[in-house]
Amino acid sequence: MVAEQVPATDMEVAAPSAVIVDIHGVEDNVDVLKQMVNHLVEMDNVSSPLYVYFLTSTKTLDVPVNGLTGTSMTTSMIEGEGRVDSFYDAKRKLDAAEVVNVSVLCCEPCKEYWTTVCGAIFTPVHTWRIETTTCHVTALVDSKSALPDLRKMLETLPSIGDVNVLKPTLIPSDTFNHGYSTRSGGITTIPSMSSLNLLYTPRKRDSRLTVAENLRRLARAARFDPDQFLLTRTSHANTVWVVGKEEPEKYDAIVTDKPGVTVAAAGADCTPLLFVDPIKRVCGAAHAGYMGTLKRVVVETVNALVEEFGSNVEDILVTMGPTLCANCFSFDKTDPAVEEFLAIDQTTVDFRVIGEGSRVHAGLVTTNTLLLERMGIKPNNIDTSFATCTACDPDRFFSFQRDGFPFGNQVGFVSIR
């Protein structure tokens, strides 16, 4: 019986299929185990090669897999104290093999439980379904415990590396809590997104729950409230959301005067910027990719601080976080963006001849610095010391330019104490 199916998507390339077989509570029931193996043999709705993971709570187990001999299935046992523990180990193996087509085979009473688990851990990238056999378990499985079980399990997972927060000294730490995250210290195991990915998107395989746990670990290290964390909803434009007013559908900057509310901007090559005014006790965060830079999102963010909170431009402090350097960021010479950069200033671009072609290199840090200074921000009030190149530093930062899709995201964050 098929309990649930989520349609396939073309957001990631289709990968081999897998079946996760839940035998918790029926390990000693030979008839049930044989029934499950027979079900596997009869399955004709999955592609090959096929990975089969038996989830069990015991080390000493003899599953009658003779019926699978000669098939394209690769079988293995995954032991865990609870269902979600062994399931998440299987999920990590799926990620390593880039498997996105998954079936879960379980006893009928466990159907709702596994439907909840799969809905929480898999994303729209995955095609998943629940298949059941008619069998009985010794203890009832409460589907309401699925999400609490998952969250508790994720909290107990060891971090991959330590959380490392970069803190510009320009911003006074006695007034503001701020910093830029790096890629270490989280639980994401997808190689190009490992490990402290802080942005969920349905186009990738990192679930909301996993990203939420990554955020919880950053919040614990940086000492802010993850439940009061607001992240830009990027559209690569220049819309600014003033917290307390109606929230736009998309925005690349946030400003606030509310203590304890952490505002943040994500980046994986684009420039995350933090803005503070220690006199008025207000702050903001902005995301400036090349499109946001050309649309002057930094100008709009400064305008919002001045117009909404009465900031004096000369009191505003700005820092820039990890971003692409000019050597790694380039356009074809015919790209319309070249003229837009030149319109800001001739120094923002660098024409270079590479082989038989010409590339135009643009500096996001240089351009945004020029825009800020023209707004009246003092040069000494702009800190670019942590605007390290993301593409050149794979050990510390995520980078779309370097890794392609899927990629993780670090964030710049700030709040008023």
Side-chain angles (χ1 to χ4, degrees), residues 46 50 75 77 137 155 221 244 252 379:
V46 291
L50 185 69
T75 63
M77 304 291 171
V137 292
E155 289 181 3
D252 284 81

Side-chain angles (χ1 to χ4, degrees), residues 130-394:
I130 310 297
E131 302 202 17
T132 62
T133 59
T134 305
C135 55
H136 300 283
V137 292
T138 56
L140 293 176
V141 179
D142 183 6
S143 62
K144 294 181 180 179
S145 70
L147 285 179
D149 288 350
L150 276 171
R151 292 191 179 98
K152 182 179 179 180
M153 180 272 298
L154 292 176
E155 289 181 3
T156 64
L157 291 177
S159 296
I160 303 173
D162 298 323
V163 175
N164 181 25
V165 177
L166 310 177
K167 292 179 71 78
T169 57
L170 177 67
I171 297 177
S173 294
D174 58 341
T175 307
F176 301 97
N177 186 12
H178 67 286
Y180 296 98
S181 69
T182 63
R183 69 180 299 169
S184 65
I187 62 170
T188 299
T189 58
I190 300 162
S192 61
M193 303 176 71
S194 176
S195 63
L196 194 68
N197 172 45
L198 293 166
L199 180 65
Y200 168 78
T201 169
R203 298 177 63 241
K204 300 175 185 177
R205 287 174 283 144
D206 220 11
S207 70
R208 288 187 187 275
L209 281 183
T210 303
V211 174
E213 175 58 22
N214 286 340
L215 176 61
R216 189 190 70 84
R217 296 185 185 212
L218 172 65
R220 181 177 59 187
R223 298 183 179 180
F224 65 77
D225 183 356
D227 293 329
Q228 295 292 315
F229 180 82
L230 304 175
L231 186 64
T232 53
R233 296 183 176 181
T234 301
S235 62
H236 302 284
N238 59 9
T239 301
V240 181
W241 177 34
V242 180
V243 177
K245 292 191 173 183
E246 183 178 355
E247 182 180 1
E249 182 178 353
K250 295 287 185 179
Y251 44 91
D252 284 81
I254 313 174
V255 295
T256 186
D257 62 350
K258 303 182 183 305
V261 174
T262 300
V263 296
D269 289 335
C270 299
T271 310
L273 298 98
L274 303 179
F275 300 74
V276 304
D277 176 355
I279 307 302
K280 293 294 184 179
R281 291 180 56 86
V282 296
C283 64
H287 164 276
Y290 88 88
M291 287 188 286
T293 296
L294 294 175
K295 293 177 181 178
R296 295 162 172 75
V297 66
V298 295
V299 172
E300 296 304 320
T301 306
V302 171
N303 283 338
L305 293 174
V306 171
E307 295 170 6
E308 297 291 337
F309 307 122
S311 289
N312 186 325
V313 173
E314 294 184 351
D315 295 328
I316 296 174
L317 312 177
V318 184
T319 69
M320 299 187 203
T323 185
L324 278 182
C325 68
N327 284 333
C328 294
F329 182 47
S330 66
F331 299 93
D332 184 84
K333 63 181 180 181
T334 61
D335 194 303
V338 175
E339 292 301 321
E340 295 185 62
F341 273 102
L342 288 171
I344 294 174
D345 196 278
Q346 295 291 314
T347 64
T348 61
V349 297
D350 178 12
F351 292 86
R352 308 180 191 181
V353 177
I354 302 175
E356 296 181 356
S358 294
R359 300 289 293 177
V360 179
H361 290 252
L364 294 176
V365 174
T366 300
T367 307
N368 283 300
T369 299
L370 285 168
L371 292 171
L372 289 167
E373 290 178 352
R374 290 175 183 175
M375 283 291 293
I377 305 294
K378 297 177 180 178
N380 288 343
N381 285 351
I382 302 172
D383 183 353
T384 62
S385 60
F386 285 108
T388 306
C389 182
T390 47
C392 291
D393 197 343

